[in-house]
């Protein structure tokens, strides 16, 4: 009989607490603990209302930092969550997600998948698999998100369209000027940039390596970068011994390397993926991936209920109206 793997779920959240409570219930399992980061820019929710959603998992709250779309704050929150989890105990895997994500598979299916693919990588069973999306970068414009000084990033999503337009045009002009003068903030650093999804499942070995590199990360990724959270883990992994630990889906089988179902093609075009609806039912129910992003019960409650029915049907009976009790 295989030994059960212990999991730390790291959740970055800022609103829609009803859905976050539902997410906790879906993840609730004696082999899972849950760690929540609440954006310091919003009011703290009632912690007890979240803690009480778990019967077997323990629920913890990390220190808080300000999270702004596109800025380093997302990864700063990730570091706080990793630290909080590893202070509690050593886990086999750390799963980073947002309050808008949902599991597409049951806890037992997730457990079996991790066990079956524990060493499904190129390390000859020296390192546990790390489930990351992406790879090395060739696109100079993408690299510029880190190598150049990105301007006015907080204003790229603004309530006033003119401000957003002006900020994006200013940064675009800055890109070509810096390209002309060959600005490269990493030219003295012996690394090859990699890029991929911000959401992943990583081993304790890689989690510890990331925390050991915290000051280095801050030095090169925290100031005037754009979406650094999409670069850091992949860059660290692929420029170290962990490059051989990256899980690769079997050929001919659908499934992402990080095991996340995300639809960017139908996104809003401004950095947010498509919000799944009932029209995505068949695709989601047949998906081999473990998690889905993005859901919003305020947009489409029906698809969320269908996911619940698939992976934890007993919760349906505990839900009344629009609330999870």
């Amino acid at each position: 009989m295989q030994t059960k793997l212990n999991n730390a779920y790291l959740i970055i959240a800022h609103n829609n607490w009803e859905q976050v409570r539902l997410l906790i219930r879906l993840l609730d399992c004696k082999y899972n603990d849950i760690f929540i980061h609440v954006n310091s820019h919003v009011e703290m929710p009632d912690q007890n209302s979240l803690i009480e959603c778990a019967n077997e998992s323990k629920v913890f709250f990390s220190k808080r930092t300000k999270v702004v779309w596109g800025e380093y704050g997302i990864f700063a929150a990730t570091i706080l969550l990793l630290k909080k989890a590893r202070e509690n105990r050593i886990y086999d895997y750390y799963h980073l997600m947002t309050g808008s994500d949902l599991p597409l598979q049951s806890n037992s299916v997730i457990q079996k998948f991790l066990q079956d693919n524990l060493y499904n990588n190129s390390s000859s069973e020296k390192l546990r698999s790390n489930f990351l999306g992406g790879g090395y970068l060739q696109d100079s414009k993408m690299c510029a998100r880190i190598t150049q000084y990105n301007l006015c990033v907080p204003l790229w999503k603004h309530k006033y369209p003119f401000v957003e337009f002006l900020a994006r045009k200013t940064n675009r002009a800055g890109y070509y000027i810096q390209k002309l003068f060959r600005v490269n903030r990493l030219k003295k650093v012996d690394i090859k940039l990699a890029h991929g999804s911000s959401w992943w499942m990583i081993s304790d070995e890689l989690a510890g390596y990331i925390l050991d590199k915290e000051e280095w990360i801050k030095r090169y990724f925290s100031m005037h970068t754009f979406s650094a959270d999409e670069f850091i883990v992949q860059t660290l992994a692929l420029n170290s011994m962990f490059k051989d630990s990256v899980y690769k889906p079997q050929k001919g089988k659908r499934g992402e390397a990080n095991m996340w179902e995300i639809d960017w093609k139908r996104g809003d075009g401004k950095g947010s993926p498509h919000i799944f609806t009932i029209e995505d039912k068949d695709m989601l129910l047949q998906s081999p991936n473990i998690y889905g992003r993005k859901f919003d019960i305020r947009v489409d409650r029906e698809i969320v209920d269908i996911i619940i029915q698939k992976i934890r049907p007993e919760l349906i009976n505990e839900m009344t109206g629009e609330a999870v009790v």
Side-chain angles (χ1 to χ4, degrees):
M1 184 176 179
Q2 292 178 307
T3 302
K4 295 292 186 181
L5 300 173
N6 293 300
N7 301 285
Y9 280 89
L10 317 178
I11 301 173
I12 298 176
H14 69 279
N15 65 6
N16 204 356
W17 302 113
E18 180 185 347
Q19 186 166 318
V20 175
R21 289 194 290 271
L22 176 57
L23 174 60
I24 293 170
R25 289 191 163 208
L26 292 173
L27 297 174
D28 186 27
C29 169
K30 64 181 179 180
Y31 303 110
N32 299 341
D33 285 331
I34 297 164
F35 299 83
I36 302 173
H37 175 275
V38 179
N39 192 341
S40 65
H41 208 46
V42 304
E43 183 179 350
M44 189 73 178
D46 178 11
Q47 294 187 31
N48 287 332
S49 72
L50 296 172
I51 292 171
E52 291 169 356
C53 290
N55 294 319
E56 296 183 293
S57 299
K58 294 180 180 178
V59 179
F60 303 88
F61 292 84
S62 73
K63 293 180 180 177
R64 303 171 68 188
T65 191
K66 184 178 179 181
V67 176
V68 177
W69 177 85
E71 290 198 313
Y72 179 73
I74 294 177
F75 200 78
T78 302
I79 290 289
L80 291 173
L81 285 165
L82 282 172
K83 285 182 176 179
K84 184 66 177 180
R86 293 183 98 238
E87 285 171 4
N88 185 57
R89 59 166 296 175
I90 297 301
Y91 293 90
D92 293 294
Y93 276 97
Y94 302 81
H95 308 238
L96 183 68
M97 56 176 49
T98 77
S100 300
D101 300 354
L102 289 177
L104 301 180
Q105 314 295 343
S106 67
N107 288 320
S108 61
V109 170
I110 296 172
Q111 180 74 221
K112 186 177 188 306
F113 173 83
L114 291 174
Q115 290 175 338
D116 290 348
N117 293 281
L118 198 59
Y119 294 102
N120 189 3
N121 56 55
S122 303
S123 72
S124 300
E125 298 194 4
K126 294 177 182 178
L127 295 169
R128 289 186 170 187
S129 295
N130 287 290
F131 302 87
L132 307 171
Y136 293 115
L137 265 182
Q138 303 295 331
D139 187 337
S140 61
K141 279 193 174 182
M142 288 291 290
C143 289
R145 296 182 177 188
I146 305 298
T147 59
Q148 291 189 1
Y149 296 89
N150 290 262
L151 310 175
C152 310
V153 173
L155 302 179
W156 290 12
K157 276 192 172 185
H158 197 275
K159 62 180 180 180
Y160 297 119
F162 175 74
V163 174
E164 179 179 309
F165 172 81
L166 189 60
R168 289 175 180 267
K169 289 297 183 182
T170 299
N171 187 74
R172 185 175 179 83
Y175 164 76
Y176 286 109
I177 292 171
Q178 291 179 77
K179 184 178 180 181
L180 178 65
F181 287 96
R182 299 184 179 181
V183 173
N184 182 356
R185 297 195 288 169
L186 297 182
K187 63 183 176 182
K188 296 183 179 180
V189 184
D190 186 23
I191 61 167
K192 188 175 181 180
L193 277 178
H195 176 268
S197 177
S198 304
W199 320 112
W200 33 251
M201 302 181 288
I202 62 172
S203 66
D204 183 67
E205 296 93 339
L206 181 52
Y209 182 71
I210 292 168
L211 292 179
D212 288 342
K213 290 285 189 177
E214 181 181 2
E215 292 306 314
W216 182 89
I217 293 169
K218 287 181 180 178
R219 179 178 179 183
Y220 293 109
F221 290 87
S222 66
M223 297 297 292
H224 300 295
T225 56
F226 173 54
S227 294
D229 49 287
E230 297 178 359
F231 293 81
I232 295 170
V233 174
Q234 286 81 0
T235 297
L236 287 176
L238 295 180
N239 286 273
S240 69
M241 65 179 182
F242 293 102
K243 67 180 181 296
D244 293 326
S245 72
V246 176
Y247 164 77
K248 295 180 181 179
Q250 293 181 354
K251 290 183 178 180
K253 289 192 175 182
R254 181 171 164 267
E256 301 299 325
N258 66 336
M259 300 307 293
W260 243 266
E261 191 75 56
I262 306 177
D263 186 345
W264 289 105
K265 291 182 179 179
R266 291 184 291 166
D268 66 0
K270 297 181 180 180
S272 293
H274 168 67
I275 297 174
F276 293 123
T277 68
I278 192 61
E279 295 179 357
D280 302 302
K281 173 185 172 181
D282 291 342
M283 180 272 293
L284 291 170
L285 291 179
Q286 296 170 17
S287 173
N289 289 310
I290 288 178
Y291 305 109
R293 168 168 174 76
K294 172 177 183 179
F295 294 89
D296 191 334
I297 57 175
R298 300 166 300 185
V299 174
D300 193 318
R301 179 67 182 249
E302 187 177 4
I303 188 59
V304 174
D305 288 346
I306 287 172
I307 298 299
I308 297 169
Q309 184 66 49
K310 174 190 174 183
I311 67 174
R312 202 150 193 170
E314 67 272 17
L315 286 185
I316 294 293
N317 295 329
E318 300 176 19
M319 295 162 54
T320 57
E322 294 298 310
V324 178
V325 297

